[in-house]
Amino acid sequence: MALLAFAAVSPLQAQTALTMANPEALSKSLNSKTEIERCIILATPDSLARAKDGLAQSKVISEDDRRALSEIVRGISSLLYPRGPNGAAKAAKAGGNGNDAAPRFFVDPSLTAISPAYAVCLTQLVEASQGRIFDAPKGSDDTFLTAILPALAIFTTSEKNVADAALAYAERFAKSGTYPTAIVGLVRARGAEKAGDLVKAYYDYQAVADAYPDVWIAKLRLGIVALALDMPVRALGFLEPLAEAGTSDLAVLAPYATALYRNGRLAEAEPVVMKCLAADPEAPPFLSMAAHILIDRNDFAAAQPLLETLGRKIPNDKFYLSLRALQAKGQGRADEAIKYARKALQASPDDPEAMVLLAGILFGDGAVDHAEATSLCLDAQKRFAAEKAAQKPAGAPLPSPLAKAMRDEAERQVSRYLLLDAYDRQDWFAAAKMLDAAPTAGLNKSVVATILRRSGREKEAVAFASEGYRGAPDSEDAAEAYLRSLAAASVASAGQPAVSDIGAGLLGQLNAAKAGSPSVAGQPALVGIVLQLLSGSCSDSLRSYLHYLNGTLLADDNAAIDSFRMALLERADNVEAIVALAKAYARKGDAQKALFFVRQAKAIGVADAELASELKTLELKLAQG
């Protein structure tokens, strides 16, 4: 209103300037202003820039009108395309909600003479920047600008009646069919957003972006709306070009960081998330993202302050509790990890991911009884299967790449945990069945080879262990798994000699191989790997196993006993060699020595169920005389 009061004294000055101009200059002035106003009404970044350049170069527009039109360009730009540190920070704090965070517009106070029409335009812009509509007074000069500028109030208002009135202005302007403008499409899209119709908003913004490719705010809003519609892949397609243009505007970077994160591109998201977090250190979305990224790369200490802040903000949030559990687990604090994992499950009791998280921590806490963990895994497995079998509603959004990856990993973890539980219980056939149903990726190769070997699938065990050994020739675990598989296959496979036919045993064949024998009977593969191992340096544990393995392949009990004793010289707690000695002395009829080694094995403890059963049977047989 102050502008209008101010304008009351200026018409005479404006009219005097025009009256003094010659007719040719007057015609040029009107035509030039018409073209500039057309550019302003179009209201794209390019058209506003052209209007600004035209005003700077014009020789026929009066200085007062040029300055007034320049202010109108600045006002529209500030409302439609808010940029810079102030608008950006507000937009970031608003969660990337765009124009609602536009700064207020004030007219340059040095303007001393404004025509009535432009005074109305500037007043409309000032009011629109404060979420209000200013109708042109009756009897004032009507212009196309005054017919569209009140619609800009929709970008700053939080009141429905103002938004509805702004939308009505835009629709009336559109029906007039006078000048093309990006304002109408942007107002329609923003109105749909405010009404909660995100699908309509998406298509309205898309229409603006298609018609006016330089209207970057439409692409920014498309990215934000796409995120709200659970379409992070599309969102990233809109946001990435804006971010790659080198902007430091957090109104762009905030949704871009979210899109990168939800697409599972955590390494790329990290620096952008950290910038957003620096702008608002207590924003829960960015705290969660940053903590997750740090925990994902095992930087548990760096995640600690973020989690503490997040805990003050959203202490009962399932994802926060899950992150706390993962951090505690990573730092070896099992009791704390279990506590937070239980709270996460309480926050979302039907979520199979929360079940798998708790189960994994329970399996790893060293407890003997894994009944609860197994029960959780079985429940989660059923829920995953039910999810896959359920018919998806038409138009239901797909999970984000990150959410899908986390869900898929949780499902794989269920299979691994159940398989490893069967392995720990030495239920080899159950473990082999689960192995067939689940991928082996992520499983210890020695575990897989053991399951295959102990379930009677020796040839598969050899093939798998051989591949593992070739891939890691310096790994003693891989070497031992391969040796055990070869030994089992050597005895069990058809066409291979039985133990009693091997005669000199493994080390005897090794000596023959060293002597250059053209044909080494029995176990060429075993001899080859042993030669390879002994040519380098291997641990006492592996040397002990090699002596034990040699003893199992010897037909002569006395020679076998010597080899088993050599195994114990390398590693005194080699329980396989101790049990083998007990059995060898029992076969020789020396019950006293056999019982001695039985007791020694029991004192150390026999973890292998099959070996423990053999030992128990042998002890009973010896006790009976």
Side-chain angles (χ1 to χ4, degrees):
M1 296 303 294
L3 279 170
L4 288 180
F6 177 74
V9 299
S10 61
L12 182 60
Q13 295 175 333
Q15 289 169 5
T16 303
L18 289 176
T19 302
M20 293 173 62
N22 63 49
E24 184 179 354
L26 178 60
S27 174
K28 287 181 180 179
S29 174
L30 291 174
N31 288 337
S32 178
K33 279 201 288 188
T34 299
E35 291 305 315
I36 286 172
E37 287 185 9
R38 186 189 297 271
C39 287
I40 293 172
I41 291 169
L42 183 56
T44 68
D46 286 350
S47 73
L48 292 172
R50 288 199 306 272
K52 190 174 180 181
D53 290 343
L55 288 167
Q57 296 170 14
S58 175
K59 304 295 185 184
V60 295
I61 299 177
S62 70
E63 179 64 18
D64 290 336
D65 283 352
R66 179 164 46 241
R67 293 184 67 192
L69 284 168
S70 295
E71 283 294 277
I72 291 170
V73 170
R74 185 173 68 85
I76 293 173
S77 298
S78 70
L79 287 166
L80 283 183
Y81 310 107
R83 305 204 79 155
N86 293 331
K90 289 181 181 178
K93 284 196 174 188
N97 285 332
N99 312 56
D100 287 348
R104 289 186 175 187
F105 170 71
F106 295 100
V107 178
D108 183 351
S110 68
L111 284 170
T112 57
I114 309 173
S115 71
Y118 294 155
V120 172
C121 291
L122 289 169
T123 303
Q124 287 176 326
L125 287 170
V126 170
E127 293 295 295
S129 77
Q130 299 180 44
R132 298 190 294 265
I133 286 178
F134 180 79
D135 298 312
K138 290 181 180 180
S140 62
D141 293 339
D142 288 333
T143 70
F144 293 118
L145 276 169
T146 58
I148 189 62
L149 292 182
L152 298 176
I154 199 169
F155 298 117
T156 57
T157 186
S158 59
E159 297 180 15
K160 185 179 183 301
N161 63 323
V162 176
D164 290 343
L167 185 57
Y169 261 98
E171 295 297 351
R172 282 195 298 272
F173 190 89
K175 286 177 183 177
S176 71
T178 48
Y179 291 128
T181 177
I183 294 175
V184 169
L186 290 171
V187 169
R188 284 172 177 164
R190 189 64 185 139
E193 269 192 282
K194 285 181 173 292
D197 190 348
L198 295 184
V199 173
K200 183 180 185 303
Y202 180 89
Y203 287 112
D204 284 341
Y205 281 125
Q206 184 71 70
V208 175
D210 291 343
Y212 308 106
D214 63 311
V215 178
W216 59 265
I217 196 71
K219 296 172 185 176
L220 172 59
R221 300 307 304 169
L222 273 169
I224 292 169
V225 172
L227 285 172
L229 289 171
D230 291 324
M231 299 190 297
V233 176
R234 288 193 187 184
L236 192 58
F238 296 120
L239 297 167
E240 198 157 31
L242 298 177
E244 288 177 350
T247 180
S248 59
D249 191 338
L250 292 177
V252 175
L253 295 183
Y256 176 54
T258 304
L260 282 172
Y261 173 79
R262 288 173 61 183
N263 275 281
R265 291 163 57 175
L266 302 189
E268 295 169 79
E270 182 176 353
V272 192
V273 168
M274 293 306 181
K275 281 184 182 179
C276 297
L277 196 58
D280 189 357
E282 296 198 351
F286 296 121
L287 284 168
S288 293
M289 284 185 252
H292 182 202
I293 290 167
L294 292 170
I295 288 170
D296 186 69
R297 59 179 170 84
N298 297 331
D299 196 346
F300 304 113
Q304 182 68 33
L306 303 179
L307 290 172
E308 288 176 357
T309 304
L310 198 58
R312 292 193 296 270
K313 295 286 183 179
I314 46 173
N316 298 316
D317 179 73
K318 175 236 162 183
F319 189 56
Y320 155 70
L321 294 167
S322 298
L323 290 175
R324 289 301 299 257
L326 288 170
Q327 187 217 22
K329 179 185 177 184
Q331 292 182 321
R333 304 194 308 272
D335 290 344
E336 187 178 342
I338 291 171
K339 179 186 75 173
Y340 280 113
R342 289 195 188 282
K343 286 185 177 181
L345 186 57
Q346 288 168 3
S348 187
D350 297 325
D351 185 357
E353 287 186 56
M355 297 175 186
V356 175
L357 174 64
L358 177 56
I361 296 171
L362 290 172
F363 272 128
D365 75 344
V368 176
D369 186 6
H370 290 155
E372 182 186 5
T374 302
S375 175
L376 285 166
C377 282
L378 292 172
D379 192 1
Q381 196 172 53
K382 289 177 185 176
R383 291 176 187 273
F384 282 130
E387 277 183 9
K388 288 184 175 179
Q391 190 170 359
K392 305 294 186 296
L398 296 172
S400 72
L402 177 63
K404 185 178 186 306
M406 292 172 67
R407 203 75 162 176
D408 290 346
E409 177 59 22
E411 190 171 2
R412 285 191 293 270
Q413 287 282 34
V414 166
S415 299
R416 282 198 286 268
Y417 290 150
L418 290 173
L419 187 149
L420 291 172
D421 180 55
Y423 176 90
D424 289 341
R425 291 184 288 104
Q426 300 178 37
D427 188 345
W428 306 116
F429 292 101
K433 186 177 179 181
M434 284 186 270
L435 196 62
D436 292 335
T440 59
L443 286 172
N444 184 292
K445 293 186 183 299
S446 297
V447 168
V448 176
T450 300
I451 292 170
L452 292 171
R453 171 171 55 84
R454 298 296 294 271
S455 62
R457 293 157 61 171
E458 290 88 359
K459 288 184 179 179
E460 291 176 68
V462 169
F464 187 87
S466 172
E467 182 182 349
Y469 180 61
R470 284 198 301 272
D474 296 328
S475 167
E476 290 197 356
D477 284 344
E480 185 173 333
Y482 188 25
L483 280 170
R484 288 183 181 277
S485 299
L486 283 171
S490 298
V491 175
S493 297
Q496 292 291 337
V499 175
S500 59
D501 299 324
I502 295 174
L506 184 61
L507 297 183
Q509 294 178 65
L510 179 59
N511 290 330
K514 285 180 177 178
S517 172
S519 176
V520 178
Q523 315 302 316
L526 279 171
V527 171
I529 189 173
V530 172
L531 277 170
Q532 185 176 346
L533 288 170
L534 294 180
S535 64
S537 60
C538 57
S539 67
D540 293 344
S541 178
L542 187 56
R543 286 181 180 276
S544 178
Y545 174 71
L546 289 173
H547 283 293
Y548 160 75
L549 178 59
N550 180 62
T552 63
L553 298 174
L554 288 167
D556 179 58
D557 278 333
N558 289 325
I561 287 170
D562 289 341
S563 194
F564 294 144
R565 287 185 176 278
M566 287 296 295
L568 293 179
L569 286 176
E570 295 289 348
R571 206 189 84 192
D573 62 347
N574 184 339
V575 75
E576 286 180 300
I578 295 171
V579 173
L581 277 169
K583 291 194 287 186
Y585 279 117
R587 286 194 300 272
K588 287 173 61 69
D590 192 336
Q592 185 176 358
K593 286 186 178 179
L595 280 170
F596 170 79
F597 286 108
V598 166
R599 295 189 194 98
Q600 191 174 356
K602 288 175 68 177
I604 294 173
V606 183
D608 187 292
E610 188 176 328
L611 198 60
S613 178
E614 289 179 15
L615 190 66
K616 185 176 181 179
T617 301
L618 178 60
E619 186 178 19
L620 288 172
K621 185 177 179 181
L622 291 170
Q624 292 170 359

